[in-house]
Amino acid sequence: MSFAPILAQVVNLPPETPPLSERFIALLGFFTWIHLLATLAGVVCVCAQVAWQRGRRTPVGYLTVLLRAALAAAVVVAAGVLLESTIQ
């Protein structure tokens, strides 16, 4: 008894999209834009803080701002990687 005809029918199923997949992809695109805008706002805020600390001439405050910026950059990169892996 050969199972070849049965396996051929199982393997050649037509592809179907999952229900609500279009909405989920649109939602991921929306989150990607929010992530992009939040990243841009963060860069502007860090630049403003660095300029503020540079005007006050306090090296400790300047270092604190740079360390906070590095931590924020790590969080933003991690969120971007998660979004990208979810989309693909």
Side-chain angles (χ1 to χ4, degrees):
M1 183 169 184
S2 173
F3 289 110
I6 296 172
L7 290 176
Q9 289 176 357
V10 172
V11 173
N12 293 328
L13 289 176
E16 295 181 15
T17 59
L20 300 175
S21 64
E22 294 87 16
R23 289 184 182 174
F24 182 68
I25 291 172
L27 186 65
L28 283 176
F30 181 69
F31 283 143
T32 303
W33 278 105
I34 287 176
H35 178 259
L36 180 66
L37 292 175
T39 302
L40 184 62
V43 167
V44 169
C45 289
V46 166
C47 290
Q49 284 182 347
V50 167
W52 179 269
Q53 288 297 332
R54 195 168 185 197
R56 294 175 67 192
R57 305 275 186 209
T58 57
V60 175
Y62 187 69
L63 182 62
T64 304
V65 169
L66 290 178
L67 287 176
R68 281 191 291 174
L71 179 64
V75 170
V76 166
V77 167
V81 167
L82 285 174
L83 275 174
E84 184 179 348
S85 66
T86 305
I87 290 173
Q88 294 182 11

